Amino acid sequence: MFLLVGPAGAAAPAVGMPGALQEAFTAAAQRYHVPTDVLLAVSYIESRWDAHAGRPSVSGGYGPMHLTDLRTALAQSRPVADGRDDTARTPDPSRTAALAASLTGLPEDRIRLDPAANITGGAALLASDQETLGQPLTTDPADWYGAVARYSGSGTQAAAADFADEVFDVIRSGEVRTTDSGQRVALAALPAVASPTAQVRAPGLPTGHSGHTECPSSLRCTWIPAPYEQYGPEPTDYGNHDLAERPKDSSIDYIVIHSTESTWDAAIGLVKEPTYLGWHYTVRSSDGAVAQHLATKDVGWHAGNWYINAKAIGIEHEGFLADPDAWFTEAMYRSSARLVRYLAHRFRIPMDRQHIIGHDNVPGLTADTVAGMHTDPGPYWDWAHYFRLLGVPFHAAAGSGAGVVTIDPSYSRNGPALTGCVSRDEPCTAHGSSAMLLHTAPSESAPLVKDAGLHPDGRSTSDVNDTGARVSAGQQYVVAGRRGGWTAIWYLGRKAWLRDPRRRRVTLPARAMVATPRRGQASIPVYGGAFPKASIFPTGIPVPADTTLQYRLPAGQSYVVGDKVTGEYYHSTMYNTAQQTWIRGTTYYEIQFGQRLGFVRASDVTLHRLR
């Protein structure tokens, strides 16, 4: 618990007390004559009001106001990347914590570590920016648009305006949230507040927008192309993607959310390498800037599953799945959501968890690839928040006792005991999560359910990269039973239990079309992709490897259907587009089989609607 005492001797409330964080915003706003709504909204965009236990972000930002101190962050051996192109603020933009300390008279370590002091420092910076711009300290939020843009520290007009627009969107819509310290903070909606964008126009600042990109006009997006070139003597020596004419020659059905597991610079270096892999977009952590690398019509090599690649757009997000506080910023979430909304509308992709998927939801294409599939963006990606930003929040769609449920734990209260974030078997720092672990019986002491593909000789683990016994927010499953405060679902061909207390449900009742094996079949195969049957392939086109996985769907079990699809195979194996062709045939259903998707042949199942 911290106690803030300013130079004038006025004590701010201790943040450990109920409602104290809200009071800290009010007190700081009054002290520096900043509208409370503006201060709250700036902090929400910077941190969603979280303090991250005093740990810095990738930009070296601390506390609810994201006050930066790159030197201290580096000294603490934190990975940092000053990615905002900060040139607009003096003194050193990488040390706004120091500037806040000089404005408030508070020690720098308190500015970094005490949430109330951090909020006070943020208010002082906003007031200073307002005065620097020659604007009065009024109570009208609209008068502060320019100061908010300047607070972002951005060196381009577009980036500063993006930040201010996001802040003012929050002011208009309002927000309520429980923070990572258990504090409930609320910002009432002010829908009539204007965004006077003229305040951010300044001579000499570039727009930050480039041609060639396929992005919404409101998003700062640059073109950094991935090379399509032959790099060796063989016609198969080319990279790092395939040319196509989607959606003319094939529909785009998925958007795959990745995390780079590297820094921005490293990821951009890799996507420029013809011998590596290509994806369509990368979103930067520090400020949400977007780079496009491939035209959406082309097929990137990003998902580790050729069927999904041929039908998907891949979006990488700078960061590491085991270190969400440093990398998964609100700026990144919001830019990504704006991009996905644009792409989903353009290509008519349903905005649900059967089509907006994580890399950790992509199945292995063949049995021998299952164990090596990627696990990003991982259990700390906030899917509920992301879908709320997409404008399609998860909600109950049926009455209590429904036969289908949508997974929807409270991110801040849900903290599965995971391991392996730093080293093998070492417990991860307690953290909110979208993911829940599944047990073989309705007991926390029961083993986790087994994934035959990942663990043929053992059971699943709680490792942060082990997807074998995990479900995530937004995914839908068929109810297999209920007992006490537990709900069982059908999962990977077996019954799996998750903790679902009556007074704090982690599931929402839903209705959906589900698939079950046709009568008379003891079980049916599950596939890693929807390829046509071998008999459909024309002479001269090699039949790809069998996509049957090591799982079976037993009689009596049902799984939620995401789509009815016609099997497709994109034959493109050489640096010669004249030999490319799409082969189509055989009807499948995509199902939510485990943490990852699966496919079953339509001829093997019957469908019915559960509600």
Side-chain angles (χ1 to χ4, degrees), residues 89 405 409 430 433 462 569:
R89 185 192 297 280
V405 291
S433 174
S462 59
Y569 177 69

Side-chain angles (χ1 to χ4, degrees), residues 534 536-544 569 571-574 579-581 583:
I536 295 175
F537 279 72
T539 302
I541 302 293
V543 176
Y569 177 69
H571 178 66
S572 182
T573 60
M574 288 187 273
Q579 298 187 28
Q580 294 173 339
T581 186
I583 302 161

Side-chain angles (χ1 to χ4, degrees), residues 476-566:
Q476 293 185 320
Y477 299 89
V478 176
V479 175
R482 290 186 171 94
R483 187 182 305 173
W486 291 76
T487 295
I489 58 174
W490 294 121
Y491 183 93
L492 294 179
R494 64 192 69 217
K495 186 180 289 189
W497 293 87
L498 69 152
R499 183 75 170 140
D500 192 17
R502 290 190 180 92
R503 292 187 178 181
R504 190 175 287 179
R505 290 289 191 193
V506 300
T507 61
L508 298 170
R511 60 186 67 189
M513 193 69 70
V514 302
T516 194
R518 286 188 182 275
R519 183 177 299 176
Q521 298 196 67
S523 66
I524 60 171
V526 176
Y527 299 89
F531 282 171
K533 290 181 180 179
S535 58
I536 295 175
F537 279 72
T539 302
I541 302 293
V543 176
D546 184 8
T547 64
T548 307
L549 302 181
Q550 52 270 78
Y551 310 106
R552 303 285 295 184
L553 198 168
Q557 295 186 16
S558 298
Y559 290 82
V560 171
V561 170
D563 248 338
K564 181 180 181 180
V565 299
T566 298

